[in-house]
Amino acid sequence: MASKNILIVPGDGIGQEVTAVGKKVLDKIAARFNHTFHYDEALIGHVAIEATGNPLPEESLEKMKKSDAVLFGAVGHPKYDNDPSAKVRPEQGLLKMRKELGLYANLRPIKLFDELLEASSIKPEILKGADILFFRELTGDIYFGEKGRKNNGDTAYDIAEYSRYEVERIGRKAFEAARTRRKKLCSVDKANVIETSRLWREVIQKLAPEYPDVEVEHMFVDAAAMILIKDPRRFDVVVTANLFGDILTDEASQIAGSMGMLASASVGDGTGVYEPIHGSAHDITGKGVANPLASILSAALLLDISFGMKAESEAVISAVDKVLKAGFRTRDIADANTPADKILGTEAIGNEVLKFL
Ligand code: NAD
């Protein structure tokens, strides 16, 4: 029996709808396993800009730092997507949250529930059994280096930087995770041409002897992009830099069939943040059709990684599996063979998960 403080940060658009369902699942777990979860809420993104002028108000950041874990939704609003020059933007809140909480590792488990084999755009015989855990570095690389324009604005530059320390800390997390799985680690870089990649490879090679039970492979990012689609079962744990990870994990999301199914964890040395990989999806906001399973699976990751509650986490994943086995789908994961009465909205499919719990 444990007592934990969970901060709910729904953010914008469907973030509000799916996070409400994720929270209900945490509540159910607390009741079933005799834990006490205390909740608080905080603002981020467009809703925070509207309320305070700041995409990540100091009050939200303080609450995040004090909590044991954060269940986050998404940020974003069409207003900003169509105005790249807007000075204050929702995603600044997200980047600041990652930086301030020191969230240097983004974990994305990519695993297809068997019932959704047909929902993917990749052939079922290639996908069946694929189970990958990505570690994307989150606070370095070209995203955070110096950027600017020269030659009267006609030339632009973004500097990519990594330190030995930054590569080593995420490398260790990935090696340790590989130990608990199939003991294979693939480090993805572009060491034939990029200097930060050469350092990346050097550091991973240096760490390898400390984990003799883990088989290490180094792969160039272009080859990795190809093999992910051709033979995804070849990968177990993948570790890579921020930019490569950003692109490869979205590519890999197609292995799981839908954005609405994929959860992620951002961890560092302090509070962990758990969130679906999808955005605020304003095209479906307010319609009650958003798939909440990614938020529910994010809650499962939270229980496992931040609280060490393995049985609780597995109970959530198993409940999602049962809901899919019972034939229930949200619109995004339904296909031509799904009977109309099995296609449920956000709240209704969440209630099915609660029933199985
Ligand atoms: P998106 O992920 O919001 O949506 C992409 C497509 O997938 C849309 O058609 C949407 O309807 C669908 N979709 C996404 N999640 C779904 C779910 N749970 N259930 C059913 N369908 C789902 O990406 P986008 O449209 O490129 O971006 C929309 C906004 O979200 C933008 O403002 C963008 O900046 C922001 N965004 C935020 C994050 C984040 O907060 N981590 C990530 C990506 C995009």
Side-chain angles (χ1 to χ4, degrees):
M1 190 184 152
S3 171
K4 299 283 181 190
N5 296 311
I6 302 175
L7 187 67
I8 307 290
V9 186
D12 301 322
I14 63 164
Q16 298 275 344
E17 300 164 37
V18 297
T19 313
V21 180
K23 178 177 177 243
K24 279 190 202 163
V25 166
L26 287 169
D27 260 346
K28 188 82 182 179
I29 285 290
R32 179 171 149 188
F33 288 84
N34 242 338
H35 299 304
T36 309
F37 293 161
H38 303 281
Y39 303 97
D40 197 357
E41 267 211 30
L43 295 174
I44 192 171
H46 172 67
V47 288
I49 297 174
E50 293 283 286
T52 69
N54 183 346
L56 182 63
E58 210 43 48
E59 189 194 342
S60 296
L61 193 55
E62 280 313 306
K63 284 183 179 179
M64 287 171 181
K65 287 182 179 164
K66 283 192 194 132
S67 67
D68 294 313
V70 173
L71 185 69
F72 168 57
V75 294
H77 192 275
K79 186 170 134 185
Y80 306 91
D81 297 341
N82 300 326
D83 179 12
S85 64
K87 290 266 180 299
V88 181
R89 313 180 58 83
E91 58 271 21
Q92 290 164 346
L94 186 66
L95 291 180
K96 187 167 174 204
M97 172 174 78
R98 289 175 179 166
K99 200 81 192 167
E100 292 281 332
L101 296 181
L103 303 172
Y104 61 81
N106 182 239
L107 278 70
R108 284 194 192 180
I110 309 273
K111 191 174 173 183
L112 182 64
F113 288 90
D114 277 350
E115 292 68 34
L116 297 182
L117 272 175
E118 302 293 336
S120 172
S121 44
I122 304 172
K123 288 189 196 121
E125 62 268 29
I126 290 180
L127 281 184
K128 198 166 167 41
D131 179 0
I132 311 173
L133 177 59
F134 270 93
F135 278 78
R136 166 189 169 195
E137 201 288 329
L138 211 55
T139 52
D141 209 354
I142 200 161
Y143 292 32
F144 290 95
E146 189 192 327
K147 48 187 85 243
R149 296 277 180 112
K150 53 189 182 185
N151 297 335
N152 296 324
D154 290 339
T155 304
Y157 59 90
D158 300 272
I159 293 182
E161 263 187 348
Y162 267 118
S163 69
R164 221 172 261 286
Y165 164 72
E166 286 173 316
V167 183
E168 195 179 313
R169 64 182 180 175
I170 187 159
R172 284 194 186 282
K173 280 214 185 290
F175 269 109
E176 277 153 24
R179 274 195 160 155
T180 68
R181 295 172 45 104
R182 301 194 304 281
K183 301 187 169 47
K184 279 172 61 178
L185 177 67
C186 178
S187 173
V188 174
D189 61 36
K190 186 80 182 166
N192 48 343
V193 280
I194 295 177
E195 195 56 36
T196 44
S197 276
R198 284 197 259 273
L199 176 73
W200 185 277
R201 191 173 286 216
E202 193 184 307
V203 174
I204 302 290
Q205 278 170 339
K206 224 171 174 168
L207 285 177
E210 290 183 42
Y211 304 87
D213 48 331
V214 177
E215 181 194 325
V216 187
E217 176 181 26
H218 298 272
M219 196 181 280
F220 294 137
V221 63
D222 36 355
M226 183 266 291
I227 294 172
L228 254 183
I229 298 298
K230 191 169 165 243
D231 185 17
R233 276 173 296 214
R234 173 157 163 191
F235 297 106
D236 177 15
V237 177
V238 177
V239 64
T240 192
N242 203 346
L243 176 63
F244 298 154
D246 193 357
I247 300 166
L248 289 181
T249 51
D250 263 28
E251 182 191 351
S253 75
Q254 284 314 295
I255 295 174
S258 164
M259 302 274 274
M261 292 300 301
L262 280 184
S264 85
S266 299
V267 299
D269 299 319
T271 312
V273 175
Y274 299 84
E275 60 183 291
I277 72 154
H278 61 73
S280 48
H282 281 269
D283 52 336
I284 56 167
T285 297
K287 296 188 175 148
V289 298
N291 183 348
L293 296 178
S295 180
I296 292 173
L297 294 169
S298 301
L301 278 178
L302 181 157
L303 292 165
D304 180 3
I305 299 174
S306 275
F307 300 168
M309 297 178 179
K310 280 253 179 282
E312 290 83 337
S313 175
E314 274 159 23
V316 174
I317 296 169
S318 154
V320 169
D321 194 32
K322 285 178 185 149
V323 166
L324 296 172
K325 281 208 168 83
F328 296 113
R329 301 283 186 272
T330 42
R331 212 174 55 175
D332 56 307
I333 51 172
D335 59 31
N337 302 319
T338 314
D341 64 340
K342 293 277 187 183
I343 303 181
L344 303 182
T346 311
E347 225 183 302
I349 202 159
N351 288 339
E352 292 303 323
V353 175
L354 295 176
K355 275 187 213 161
F356 281 112
L357 275 174

